Amino acid sequence: MAGQKILVIDDSKVIRVRVREMLPQGNFEVLEAKDGEEGLKLIRQARPNLIMLDFLLPKVSGWEVYQKVQAHPELSKIPLVIMSGREEEVMEKIPKPFEKHFFAFIAKPFEKKQLTEAIKSAMVLAKKKPVPEAAAAPSSEAGTADIQAMTLKMAKMQAEIDALKKQMSQVIAIIKQKLK
């Protein structure tokens, strides 16, 4: 992996420095972004070999960064590790298993072994990811991006529906208890 670029997008300098320190010295060029806006610019300019993305970011959220990366055929091939101290917030937007979305997840705080495993997993998952149709047929690029965006929206809506169903069943249970 010598010469590999890893982009760490996190608003916490502590996390960015910690990731840098955990990686083997000299093997990686670690790029850092403190918010989603800066992260998107670096993704487009530097074309990193791996992206480590915090889900809760200022300016442009990690969710928005994820959507923009996934909607772009070239960028969506980059291995991705999503980091968060609040896995439930990630699951509100992207349902488990995360592997079916072709990214690795790592819960903060994490140790060196967990980081290494997440990076390896992200690399494997990226290789398994189907090649977007837009890469094979440039004329359909806009259509494929639209389909990917709609698929992401549908996943989000399904997660919201599931949450509403759960809330509704809780409300019904409370009403039944009150009626007894």
Side-chain angles (χ1 to χ4, degrees):
M1 285 208 136
Q4 299 285 320
K5 288 186 239 174
I6 294 182
L7 173 58
V8 182
I9 307 171
D10 200 302
D11 55 330
S12 168
K13 184 162 182 69
V14 173
I15 295 291
R16 296 192 313 263
V17 169
R18 187 158 168 79
V19 168
R20 181 184 298 276
E21 290 172 350
M22 286 181 177
L23 295 170
Q25 293 297 314
N27 291 356
F28 304 97
E29 178 185 354
V30 180
L31 308 171
E32 297 179 23
K34 64 184 178 301
D35 58 57
E37 187 177 291
E38 190 178 307
L40 281 169
K41 284 180 191 169
L42 276 171
I43 291 169
R44 290 184 188 110
Q45 291 170 358
R47 298 292 170 129
N49 302 95
L50 176 84
I51 300 167
M52 296 196 61
L53 175 64
D54 183 18
F55 210 67
L56 302 173
L57 292 169
K59 294 188 182 177
V60 177
S61 73
W63 167 241
E64 291 171 294
V65 172
Y66 171 80
Q67 288 179 304
K68 289 179 181 181
V69 167
Q70 296 308 308
H72 190 283
E74 281 299 308
L75 300 179
S76 70
K77 296 178 195 172
I78 299 171
L80 177 66
V81 176
I82 291 184
M83 308 178 287
S84 182
R86 302 171 77 185
E87 185 176 354
E88 64 279 358
E89 290 204 13
V90 177
M91 289 177 9
E92 282 178 18
K93 306 283 187 192
I94 309 168
K96 276 188 158 184
F98 296 136
E99 295 80 19
K100 79 175 186 176
H101 301 283
F102 302 98
F103 69 83
F105 176 82
I106 188 168
K108 293 186 209 175
F110 49 83
E111 298 299 322
K112 184 175 183 173
K113 182 180 179 188
Q114 294 167 306
L115 175 66
T116 304
E117 288 171 4
I119 290 172
K120 287 178 183 175
S121 176
M123 296 290 196
V124 169
L125 290 166
K127 287 178 184 168
K128 291 180 180 178
K129 188 170 188 171
V131 177
E133 287 180 32
S139 62
S140 68
E141 187 171 326
T144 302
D146 289 343
I147 291 170
Q148 288 175 336
M150 289 171 64
T151 302
L152 288 171
K153 283 182 182 178
M154 284 178 24
K156 178 184 174 191
M157 289 170 64
Q158 186 60 52
E160 289 172 0
I161 289 168
D162 293 343
L164 288 170
K165 283 181 180 177
K166 183 178 177 184
Q167 288 175 349
M168 185 60 94
S169 66
Q170 291 170 342
V171 168
I172 291 170
I174 290 169
I175 291 171
K176 285 181 179 179
Q177 281 181 334
K178 297 286 183 184
L179 291 175
K180 283 184 180 180

